[in-house]
Amino acid sequence: MAKSFSNRYIFIYSAVLVVVAALILTVVSVSLKPMQTKNQQAETKQMILKTIGVEATRENADKLYAEHITEANGYYNFAGGIVIPLKGTGLWGPIWGYLALDRKSTVVGAVFDHKGETPGLGGEIATDKFAQRFIGKKMDTQAIHLAKNADHSNPYEVDAISGGTMTSNGVTAMLQKAYEDYSKMRKEATK
Protein backbone atom coordinates (compact mmCIF):
# COMPACT_ATOMS: atom_id res chain seq x y z
CA MET A 1 0.00 0.00 0.00
CA ALA A 2 1.40 3.42 -1.04
CA LYS A 3 2.21 5.89 1.70
CA SER A 4 0.00 9.00 1.62
CA PHE A 5 1.42 12.43 2.38
CA SER A 6 -0.61 15.32 3.77
CA ASN A 7 -1.04 18.52 1.82
CA ARG A 8 0.94 20.34 4.49
CA TYR A 9 3.90 17.98 4.07
CA ILE A 10 3.86 18.38 0.28
CA PHE A 11 3.70 22.18 0.58
CA ILE A 12 6.61 22.35 3.08
CA TYR A 13 8.68 19.91 1.00
CA SER A 14 8.05 21.95 -2.16
CA ALA A 15 8.86 25.23 -0.42
CA VAL A 16 12.15 23.87 0.98
CA LEU A 17 13.07 22.48 -2.46
CA VAL A 18 12.40 25.86 -4.11
CA VAL A 19 14.45 27.74 -1.49
CA VAL A 20 17.40 25.32 -1.82
CA ALA A 21 17.30 25.53 -5.64
CA ALA A 22 17.13 29.34 -5.47
CA LEU A 23 20.13 29.45 -3.10
CA ILE A 24 22.17 27.18 -5.37
CA LEU A 25 21.31 29.26 -8.46
CA THR A 26 22.16 32.49 -6.62
CA VAL A 27 25.55 31.17 -5.50
CA VAL A 28 26.36 29.96 -9.01
CA SER A 29 25.24 33.25 -10.58
CA VAL A 30 27.24 35.39 -8.16
CA SER A 31 30.35 33.25 -8.52
CA LEU A 32 30.20 33.35 -12.34
CA LYS A 33 29.53 37.12 -12.57
CA PRO A 34 33.22 38.19 -12.64
CA MET A 35 33.95 35.69 -15.43
CA GLN A 36 30.90 36.87 -17.41
CA THR A 37 31.96 40.51 -17.02
CA LYS A 38 35.51 39.72 -18.15
CA ASN A 39 34.19 37.81 -21.19
CA GLN A 40 31.86 40.71 -22.11
CA GLN A 41 34.74 43.18 -21.85
CA ALA A 42 36.95 40.94 -24.02
CA GLU A 43 34.18 40.64 -26.62
CA THR A 44 33.75 44.43 -26.72
CA LYS A 45 37.49 44.90 -27.17
CA GLN A 46 37.53 42.27 -29.95
CA MET A 47 34.72 44.08 -31.77
CA ILE A 48 36.46 47.46 -31.51
CA LEU A 49 39.75 45.98 -32.69
CA LYS A 50 38.03 44.25 -35.60
CA THR A 51 36.81 47.63 -36.90
CA ILE A 52 40.43 48.73 -37.31
CA GLY A 53 41.51 45.47 -38.91
CA VAL A 54 43.09 43.83 -35.86
CA GLU A 55 41.87 40.30 -35.20
CA ALA A 56 41.97 39.41 -31.51
CA THR A 57 41.12 36.41 -29.38
CA ARG A 58 39.79 36.47 -25.83
CA GLU A 59 43.29 35.63 -24.66
CA ASN A 60 45.09 38.53 -26.38
CA ALA A 61 42.31 41.14 -26.60
CA ASP A 62 43.53 43.13 -23.58
CA LYS A 63 47.10 43.33 -24.87
CA LEU A 64 46.14 44.30 -28.43
CA TYR A 65 43.56 46.78 -27.19
CA ALA A 66 46.18 48.51 -25.02
CA GLU A 67 48.54 48.67 -28.02
CA HIS A 68 46.04 50.13 -30.50
CA ILE A 69 43.21 51.92 -28.66
CA THR A 70 42.92 54.84 -26.26
CA GLU A 71 39.57 55.83 -24.76
CA ALA A 72 38.30 59.38 -24.50
CA ASN A 73 34.78 60.71 -23.86
CA GLY A 74 33.04 57.45 -24.78
CA TYR A 75 34.99 57.08 -28.05
CA TYR A 76 37.92 54.90 -28.98
CA ASN A 77 40.92 56.51 -30.68
CA PHE A 78 43.36 54.61 -32.87
CA ALA A 79 46.31 55.77 -34.97
CA GLY A 80 44.18 56.43 -38.06
CA GLY A 81 41.09 57.97 -36.49
CA ILE A 82 38.25 57.16 -34.12
CA VAL A 83 35.87 54.28 -33.39
CA ILE A 84 32.34 55.36 -32.53
CA PRO A 85 29.98 53.14 -30.54
CA LEU A 86 26.49 52.37 -31.81
CA LYS A 87 23.49 51.32 -29.70
CA GLY A 88 19.92 50.82 -30.80
CA THR A 89 16.90 48.57 -30.99
CA GLY A 90 16.04 46.07 -33.70
CA LEU A 91 12.88 44.05 -34.17
CA TRP A 92 13.40 41.71 -31.21
CA GLY A 93 15.78 43.58 -28.93
CA PRO A 94 19.06 45.44 -28.62
CA ILE A 95 21.41 45.93 -31.55
CA TRP A 96 24.86 47.50 -31.34
CA GLY A 97 28.09 47.97 -33.20
CA TYR A 98 31.14 50.10 -33.85
CA LEU A 99 32.24 52.20 -36.83
CA ALA A 100 35.91 53.08 -37.35
CA LEU A 101 36.30 56.43 -39.08
CA ASP A 102 39.46 57.90 -40.51
CA ARG A 103 40.33 61.56 -39.95
CA LYS A 104 38.03 62.57 -42.84
CA SER A 105 35.06 60.73 -41.25
CA THR A 106 35.15 57.96 -43.87
CA VAL A 107 34.27 54.48 -42.58
CA VAL A 108 37.33 52.20 -42.63
CA GLY A 109 35.78 49.40 -40.56
CA ALA A 110 32.46 48.31 -39.11
CA VAL A 111 31.06 45.57 -36.92
CA PHE A 112 27.49 44.97 -35.73
CA ASP A 113 25.75 42.51 -33.44
CA HIS A 114 22.36 41.81 -31.93
CA LYS A 115 20.66 40.06 -29.05
CA GLY A 116 17.82 38.29 -30.83
CA GLU A 117 17.20 39.30 -34.44
CA THR A 118 15.78 36.67 -36.80
CA PRO A 119 18.49 34.47 -38.36
CA GLY A 120 18.69 34.98 -42.12
CA LEU A 121 16.81 38.28 -41.89
CA GLY A 122 17.63 40.96 -39.31
CA GLY A 123 20.31 38.69 -37.87
CA GLU A 124 22.33 39.43 -41.01
CA ILE A 125 23.64 42.58 -39.34
CA ALA A 126 26.15 40.40 -37.46
CA THR A 127 27.79 39.18 -40.70
CA ASP A 128 30.99 40.50 -42.23
CA LYS A 129 29.13 40.83 -45.54
CA PHE A 130 26.77 43.38 -43.98
CA ALA A 131 29.60 45.27 -42.25
CA GLN A 132 31.53 45.53 -45.54
CA ARG A 133 28.68 47.60 -47.03
CA PHE A 134 29.77 50.50 -44.82
CA ILE A 135 33.43 50.68 -45.90
CA GLY A 136 34.05 53.95 -47.75
CA LYS A 137 30.80 55.57 -46.59
CA LYS A 138 30.87 58.96 -44.84
CA MET A 139 29.72 60.25 -41.45
CA ASP A 140 30.71 63.90 -41.95
CA THR A 141 27.75 66.10 -42.91
CA GLN A 142 24.98 63.56 -42.30
CA ALA A 143 24.38 60.06 -40.99
CA ILE A 144 24.63 56.90 -43.04
CA HIS A 145 21.20 55.35 -43.62
CA LEU A 146 19.94 52.03 -44.95
CA ALA A 147 17.75 52.11 -48.06
CA LYS A 148 16.12 49.60 -50.38
CA ASN A 149 17.95 49.64 -53.73
CA ALA A 150 20.59 51.98 -52.29
CA ASP A 151 22.51 54.27 -54.62
CA HIS A 152 26.03 52.84 -54.21
CA SER A 153 27.58 56.12 -55.40
CA ASN A 154 25.87 57.96 -52.52
CA PRO A 155 28.40 58.12 -49.65
CA TYR A 156 25.58 58.06 -47.08
CA GLU A 157 23.48 55.16 -48.39
CA VAL A 158 23.85 51.44 -47.63
CA ASP A 159 21.68 48.57 -48.87
CA ALA A 160 18.98 47.65 -46.37
CA ILE A 161 18.52 44.06 -45.24
CA SER A 162 16.11 42.22 -47.53
CA GLY A 163 13.24 40.99 -45.37
CA GLY A 164 14.62 42.80 -42.31
CA THR A 165 12.82 46.13 -42.51
CA MET A 166 12.46 46.67 -38.76
CA THR A 167 16.10 45.81 -38.11
CA SER A 168 17.17 48.06 -41.01
CA ASN A 169 15.11 50.90 -39.50
CA GLY A 170 16.75 50.22 -36.14
CA VAL A 171 20.23 50.37 -37.69
CA THR A 172 19.37 53.65 -39.43
CA ALA A 173 18.08 55.15 -36.15
CA MET A 174 21.19 53.88 -34.34
CA LEU A 175 23.45 55.49 -36.97
CA GLN A 176 21.51 58.78 -36.79
CA LYS A 177 21.90 58.94 -33.00
CA ALA A 178 25.61 58.09 -33.24
CA TYR A 179 26.07 60.77 -35.91
CA GLU A 180 24.38 63.41 -33.73
CA ASP A 181 26.58 62.50 -30.75
CA TYR A 182 29.71 62.38 -32.92
CA SER A 183 28.91 65.78 -34.46
CA LYS A 184 28.50 67.35 -31.00
CA MET A 185 31.81 65.84 -29.90
CA ARG A 186 33.59 67.20 -33.00
CA LYS A 187 32.13 70.70 -32.48
CA GLU A 188 33.22 70.72 -28.84
CA ALA A 189 36.71 69.54 -29.82
CA THR A 190 37.12 72.50 -32.21
CA LYS A 191 36.15 75.11 -29.59
Side-chain angles (χ1 to χ4, degrees):
M1 187 171 227
K3 186 174 180 180
S4 175
F5 294 103
S6 70
N7 286 343
R8 182 175 177 208
Y9 175 82
I10 293 171
F11 177 77
I12 291 172
Y13 180 81
S14 297
V16 169
L17 189 61
V18 167
V19 169
V20 169
L23 285 173
I24 291 170
L25 289 173
T26 300
V27 168
V28 170
S29 176
V30 168
S31 65
L32 291 177
K33 186 68 175 167
M35 189 183 327
Q36 290 171 336
T37 300
K38 185 177 179 181
N39 285 339
Q40 288 170 340
Q41 291 170 342
E43 183 178 16
T44 297
K45 289 176 180 178
Q46 286 175 281
M47 289 179 76
I48 293 167
L49 288 166
K50 186 174 182 176
T51 66
I52 64 168
V54 176
E55 291 296 328
T57 63
R58 288 189 194 277
E59 292 75 29
N60 68 4
D62 286 337
K63 179 181 178 289
L64 290 172
Y65 188 84
E67 290 173 8
H68 296 281
I69 302 292
T70 57
E71 296 180 20
N73 301 320
Y75 293 91
Y76 309 92
N77 298 304
F78 67 103
I82 191 167
V83 178
I84 60 174
L86 309 167
K87 291 183 182 174
T89 305
L91 176 61
W92 300 112
I95 56 176
W96 60 92
Y98 298 91
L99 285 181
L101 307 176
D102 67 12
R103 288 184 174 85
K104 294 181 180 180
S105 298
T106 301
V107 178
V108 295
V111 64
F112 299 90
D113 210 347
H114 62 90
K115 178 122 176 125
E117 298 305 291
T118 307
L121 297 172
E124 291 299 301
I125 68 169
T127 66
D128 289 337
K129 183 178 177 183
F130 179 76
Q132 290 299 314
R133 297 177 189 178
F134 290 81
I135 306 301
K137 299 299 179 178
K138 305 286 275 177
M139 282 285 273
D140 54 2
T141 60
Q142 68 183 64
I144 298 168
H145 63 276
L146 276 62
K148 289 182 180 180
N149 303 314
D151 175 2
H152 296 276
S153 66
N154 183 333
Y156 306 100
E157 240 177 53
V158 171
D159 280 321
I161 303 162
S162 180
T165 302
M166 295 300 289
T167 304
S168 293
N169 292 345
V171 171
T172 294
M174 176 173 72
L175 290 164
Q176 181 63 42
K177 174 73 169 102
Y179 170 74
E180 291 166 6
D181 294 344
Y182 175 60
S183 294
K184 285 179 195 171
M185 184 272 302
R186 284 179 31 195
K187 284 178 186 172
E188 289 175 11
T190 59
K191 287 182 181 179

PDB file of all heavy atoms in Angstrom, residues 172-186:
ATOM      1  N   THR A 172      19.380  52.264 -38.980  1.00  0.00           N
ATOM      2  CA  THR A 172      19.371  53.655 -39.432  1.00  0.00           C
ATOM      3  C   THR A 172      19.208  54.603 -38.249  1.00  0.00           C
ATOM      4  O   THR A 172      19.924  55.607 -38.139  1.00  0.00           O
ATOM      5  CB  THR A 172      18.261  53.881 -40.479  1.00  0.00           C
ATOM      6  OG1 THR A 172      18.585  53.121 -41.650  1.00  0.00           O
ATOM      7  CG2 THR A 172      18.118  55.344 -40.848  1.00  0.00           C
ATOM      8  N   ALA A 173      18.286  54.303 -37.342  1.00  0.00           N
ATOM      9  CA  ALA A 173      18.082  55.148 -36.153  1.00  0.00           C
ATOM     10  C   ALA A 173      19.335  55.153 -35.272  1.00  0.00           C
ATOM     11  O   ALA A 173      19.726  56.201 -34.742  1.00  0.00           O
ATOM     12  CB  ALA A 173      16.871  54.661 -35.359  1.00  0.00           C
ATOM     13  N   MET A 174      19.965  53.996 -35.139  1.00  0.00           N
ATOM     14  CA  MET A 174      21.185  53.879 -34.342  1.00  0.00           C
ATOM     15  C   MET A 174      22.299  54.735 -34.955  1.00  0.00           C
ATOM     16  O   MET A 174      23.027  55.435 -34.246  1.00  0.00           O
ATOM     17  CB  MET A 174      21.574  52.393 -34.286  1.00  0.00           C
ATOM     18  CG  MET A 174      22.852  52.062 -33.603  1.00  0.00           C
ATOM     19  SD  MET A 174      23.076  50.260 -33.422  1.00  0.00           S
ATOM     20  CE  MET A 174      23.433  49.768 -35.112  1.00  0.00           C
ATOM     21  N   LEU A 175      22.434  54.701 -36.279  1.00  0.00           N
ATOM     22  CA  LEU A 175      23.451  55.488 -36.973  1.00  0.00           C
ATOM     23  C   LEU A 175      23.157  56.985 -36.854  1.00  0.00           C
ATOM     24  O   LEU A 175      24.076  57.792 -36.684  1.00  0.00           O
ATOM     25  CB  LEU A 175      23.528  55.072 -38.440  1.00  0.00           C
ATOM     26  CG  LEU A 175      24.110  53.686 -38.696  1.00  0.00           C
ATOM     27  CD1 LEU A 175      23.784  53.227 -40.111  1.00  0.00           C
ATOM     28  CD2 LEU A 175      25.607  53.666 -38.444  1.00  0.00           C
ATOM     29  N   GLN A 176      21.891  57.368 -36.932  1.00  0.00           N
ATOM     30  CA  GLN A 176      21.514  58.780 -36.794  1.00  0.00           C
ATOM     31  C   GLN A 176      21.878  59.302 -35.409  1.00  0.00           C
ATOM     32  O   GLN A 176      22.454  60.384 -35.277  1.00  0.00           O
ATOM     33  CB  GLN A 176      20.017  58.971 -37.056  1.00  0.00           C
ATOM     34  CG  GLN A 176      19.543  60.405 -36.956  1.00  0.00           C
ATOM     35  CD  GLN A 176      20.176  61.334 -37.982  1.00  0.00           C
ATOM     36  OE1 GLN A 176      20.327  60.956 -39.144  1.00  0.00           O
ATOM     37  NE2 GLN A 176      20.551  62.525 -37.562  1.00  0.00           N
ATOM     38  N   LYS A 177      21.572  58.539 -34.375  1.00  0.00           N
ATOM     39  CA  LYS A 177      21.900  58.942 -33.000  1.00  0.00           C
ATOM     40  C   LYS A 177      23.413  59.051 -32.821  1.00  0.00           C
ATOM     41  O   LYS A 177      23.923  60.015 -32.234  1.00  0.00           O
ATOM     42  CB  LYS A 177      21.307  57.924 -32.013  1.00  0.00           C
ATOM     43  CG  LYS A 177      21.702  58.138 -30.562  1.00  0.00           C
ATOM     44  CD  LYS A 177      21.005  59.333 -29.948  1.00  0.00           C
ATOM     45  CE  LYS A 177      21.196  59.382 -28.458  1.00  0.00           C
ATOM     46  NZ  LYS A 177      22.179  60.326 -28.007  1.00  0.00           N
ATOM     47  N   ALA A 178      24.144  58.061 -33.349  1.00  0.00           N
ATOM     48  CA  ALA A 178      25.608  58.090 -33.245  1.00  0.00           C
ATOM     49  C   ALA A 178      26.177  59.299 -33.979  1.00  0.00           C
ATOM     50  O   ALA A 178      27.107  59.960 -33.489  1.00  0.00           O
ATOM     51  CB  ALA A 178      26.200  56.803 -33.801  1.00  0.00           C
ATOM     52  N   TYR A 179      25.604  59.618 -35.147  1.00  0.00           N
ATOM     53  CA  TYR A 179      26.067  60.774 -35.912  1.00  0.00           C
ATOM     54  C   TYR A 179      25.849  62.063 -35.120  1.00  0.00           C
ATOM     55  O   TYR A 179      26.723  62.929 -35.064  1.00  0.00           O
ATOM     56  CB  TYR A 179      25.348  60.858 -37.267  1.00  0.00           C
ATOM     57  CG  TYR A 179      25.609  62.163 -37.973  1.00  0.00           C
ATOM     58  CD1 TYR A 179      26.841  62.404 -38.576  1.00  0.00           C
ATOM     59  CD2 TYR A 179      24.655  63.171 -37.988  1.00  0.00           C
ATOM     60  CE1 TYR A 179      27.102  63.612 -39.190  1.00  0.00           C
ATOM     61  CE2 TYR A 179      24.905  64.385 -38.599  1.00  0.00           C
ATOM     62  CZ  TYR A 179      26.132  64.607 -39.203  1.00  0.00           C
ATOM     63  OH  TYR A 179      26.397  65.802 -39.801  1.00  0.00           O
ATOM     64  N   GLU A 180      24.682  62.207 -34.515  1.00  0.00           N
ATOM     65  CA  GLU A 180      24.382  63.405 -33.729  1.00  0.00           C
ATOM     66  C   GLU A 180      25.370  63.555 -32.571  1.00  0.00           C
ATOM     67  O   GLU A 180      25.903  64.649 -32.339  1.00  0.00           O
ATOM     68  CB  GLU A 180      22.948  63.365 -33.217  1.00  0.00           C
ATOM     69  CG  GLU A 180      21.920  63.512 -34.322  1.00  0.00           C
ATOM     70  CD  GLU A 180      20.504  63.145 -33.902  1.00  0.00           C
ATOM     71  OE1 GLU A 180      20.270  62.871 -32.700  1.00  0.00           O
ATOM     72  OE2 GLU A 180      19.614  63.134 -34.787  1.00  0.00           O
ATOM     73  N   ASP A 181      25.631  62.471 -31.861  1.00  0.00           N
ATOM     74  CA  ASP A 181      26.580  62.505 -30.745  1.00  0.00           C
ATOM     75  C   ASP A 181      27.998  62.804 -31.229  1.00  0.00           C
ATOM     76  O   ASP A 181      28.728  63.596 -30.629  1.00  0.00           O
ATOM     77  CB  ASP A 181      26.555  61.177 -29.978  1.00  0.00           C
ATOM     78  CG  ASP A 181      25.234  60.933 -29.268  1.00  0.00           C
ATOM     79  OD1 ASP A 181      24.449  61.886 -29.098  1.00  0.00           O
ATOM     80  OD2 ASP A 181      24.982  59.764 -28.898  1.00  0.00           O
ATOM     81  N   TYR A 182      28.384  62.175 -32.336  1.00  0.00           N
ATOM     82  CA  TYR A 182      29.714  62.376 -32.922  1.00  0.00           C
ATOM     83  C   TYR A 182      29.883  63.823 -33.383  1.00  0.00           C
ATOM     84  O   TYR A 182      30.928  64.438 -33.165  1.00  0.00           O
ATOM     85  CB  TYR A 182      29.890  61.384 -34.074  1.00  0.00           C
ATOM     86  CG  TYR A 182      31.165  61.527 -34.869  1.00  0.00           C
ATOM     87  CD1 TYR A 182      32.411  61.396 -34.274  1.00  0.00           C
ATOM     88  CD2 TYR A 182      31.122  61.771 -36.240  1.00  0.00           C
ATOM     89  CE1 TYR A 182      33.583  61.510 -35.010  1.00  0.00           C
ATOM     90  CE2 TYR A 182      32.281  61.882 -36.996  1.00  0.00           C
ATOM     91  CZ  TYR A 182      33.505  61.757 -36.374  1.00  0.00           C
ATOM     92  OH  TYR A 182      34.658  61.866 -37.107  1.00  0.00           O
ATOM     93  N   SER A 183      28.857  64.388 -34.003  1.00  0.00           N
ATOM     94  CA  SER A 183      28.910  65.783 -34.462  1.00  0.00           C
ATOM     95  C   SER A 183      29.091  66.740 -33.291  1.00  0.00           C
ATOM     96  O   SER A 183      29.885  67.692 -33.364  1.00  0.00           O
ATOM     97  CB  SER A 183      27.638  66.149 -35.228  1.00  0.00           C
ATOM     98  OG  SER A 183      27.564  65.416 -36.417  1.00  0.00           O
ATOM     99  N   LYS A 184      28.350  66.514 -32.202  1.00  0.00           N
ATOM    100  CA  LYS A 184      28.501  67.350 -31.001  1.00  0.00           C
ATOM    101  C   LYS A 184      29.923  67.257 -30.456  1.00  0.00           C
ATOM    102  O   LYS A 184      30.529  68.271 -30.102  1.00  0.00           O
ATOM    103  CB  LYS A 184      27.512  66.904 -29.917  1.00  0.00           C
ATOM    104  CG  LYS A 184      26.095  67.305 -30.168  1.00  0.00           C
ATOM    105  CD  LYS A 184      25.194  66.799 -29.046  1.00  0.00           C
ATOM    106  CE  LYS A 184      23.744  66.867 -29.427  1.00  0.00           C
ATOM    107  NZ  LYS A 184      22.875  66.198 -28.464  1.00  0.00           N
ATOM    108  N   MET A 185      30.451  66.031 -30.407  1.00  0.00           N
ATOM    109  CA  MET A 185      31.806  65.839 -29.895  1.00  0.00           C
ATOM    110  C   MET A 185      32.816  66.573 -30.773  1.00  0.00           C
ATOM    111  O   MET A 185      33.720  67.237 -30.271  1.00  0.00           O
ATOM    112  CB  MET A 185      32.130  64.340 -29.831  1.00  0.00           C
ATOM    113  CG  MET A 185      33.475  63.990 -29.223  1.00  0.00           C
ATOM    114  SD  MET A 185      34.895  63.948 -30.340  1.00  0.00           S
ATOM    115  CE  MET A 185      34.402  62.756 -31.553  1.00  0.00           C
ATOM    116  N   ARG A 186      32.653  66.511 -32.077  1.00  0.00           N
ATOM    117  CA  ARG A 186      33.586  67.196 -33.002  1.00  0.00           C
ATOM    118  C   ARG A 186      33.501  68.704 -32.843  1.00  0.00           C
ATOM    119  O   ARG A 186      34.522  69.396 -32.855  1.00  0.00           O
ATOM    120  CB  ARG A 186      33.271  66.793 -34.452  1.00  0.00           C
ATOM    121  CG  ARG A 186      33.767  65.406 -34.771  1.00  0.00           C
ATOM    122  CD  ARG A 186      33.471  64.932 -36.175  1.00  0.00           C
ATOM    123  NE  ARG A 186      33.431  65.976 -37.184  1.00  0.00           N
ATOM    124  CZ  ARG A 186      32.911  65.806 -38.389  1.00  0.00           C
ATOM    125  NH1 ARG A 186      32.378  64.673 -38.725  1.00  0.00           N
ATOM    126  NH2 ARG A 186      32.919  66.783 -39.267  1.00  0.00           N
TER     127      ARG A 186
END
